[in-house]
Amino acid sequence: MSVTLPSSLDVWRMVTARRSFEGSLPVSGLTRLVEVLAAPDGEVAYTVDFGRDEFGVAYVAIRANAPLTVTCQRTLEPFVLPVVIDTRLGLITDERDEAAMPPGYEALLVEDDGRVAMAAVIEDELLLALPLVPVNPDSTLPEELVAPDEEPPSDSRTDNPFAVLGELKKR
């Protein structure tokens, strides 16, 4: 198991060698992710394992944990959202191969040279794991936005609004 993740890997060599990497990445270094966060604080702890499954499918398994600071869309206050990733990506060289992926796999398209920037793949998975509308589970709406408990307005009207149509039908 290697601790440092190279900037670019030959995934086919990693699969053949059944390599694993474990370590952490600073959130501040993941520029696309930082753009959607309230603060670039913290680190992403990751484990990356390469291998082949019982069907011969080459894969990379990614597990990552990151406390990401996002903005609550209810209160507009920042809060820390724990994001956990546990995914298996099947390695393909042609988009047509995606249909042949076994259940539980997502496809990762690999360029002809076999090189992949794993930090960018981890960043992609974190971006996909973020909710579209982050809401702090501990937040509540301000009192001025919450209507007091009221009885629904009673309809004092007892006649049928379609009675006029019934009269037209009789003619």
Side-chain angles (χ1 to χ4, degrees):
M1 171 134 354
S2 296
V3 175
T4 56
L5 188 63
S7 60
S8 177
L9 296 169
D10 182 342
V11 293
W12 306 119
R13 289 183 61 196
M14 299 299 113
V15 166
T16 302
R18 299 190 55 82
R19 290 288 308 267
S20 295
F21 297 89
E22 185 174 334
S24 62
L25 297 168
V27 171
S28 60
L30 305 173
T31 56
R32 291 177 294 137
L33 181 62
V34 168
E35 290 176 9
V36 298
L37 298 178
D41 303 331
E43 290 194 342
V44 179
Y46 66 84
T47 303
V48 176
D49 297 312
F50 292 89
R52 285 196 185 273
D53 68 6
E54 62 273 8
F55 303 112
V57 176
Y59 69 85
V60 57
I62 300 172
R63 287 174 300 288
N65 297 314
L68 301 177
T69 305
V70 295
T71 302
C72 174
Q73 295 303 299
R74 179 181 291 158
T75 63
L76 299 179
E77 296 290 328
F79 75 101
V80 176
L81 176 71
V83 177
V84 178
I85 296 169
D86 189 2
T87 189
R88 187 174 275 202
L89 304 174
L91 304 173
I92 60 172
T93 56
D94 192 325
E95 289 182 21
R96 293 181 296 221
D97 297 337
E98 183 176 4
M101 283 284 120
Y105 281 76
E106 293 292 326
L108 177 62
L109 186 61
V110 178
E111 296 295 326
D112 293 335
D113 63 358
R115 308 291 297 175
V116 171
M118 284 310 301
V121 174
I122 293 169
E123 183 177 19
D124 290 343
E125 293 300 317
L126 288 168
L127 285 165
L128 289 170
L130 284 176
L132 290 175
V133 180
V135 177
N136 186 344
D138 299 329
S139 69
T140 57
L141 286 173
E143 286 185 31
E144 59 268 9
L145 295 178
V146 179
D149 293 335
E150 297 178 354
E151 297 264 336
S154 63
D155 192 1
S156 60
R157 205 167 145 181
T158 58
D159 57 328
N160 185 347
F162 298 105
V164 175
L165 295 176
E167 293 297 322
L168 290 174
K169 187 176 177 184
K170 290 180 185 176
R171 292 184 188 174

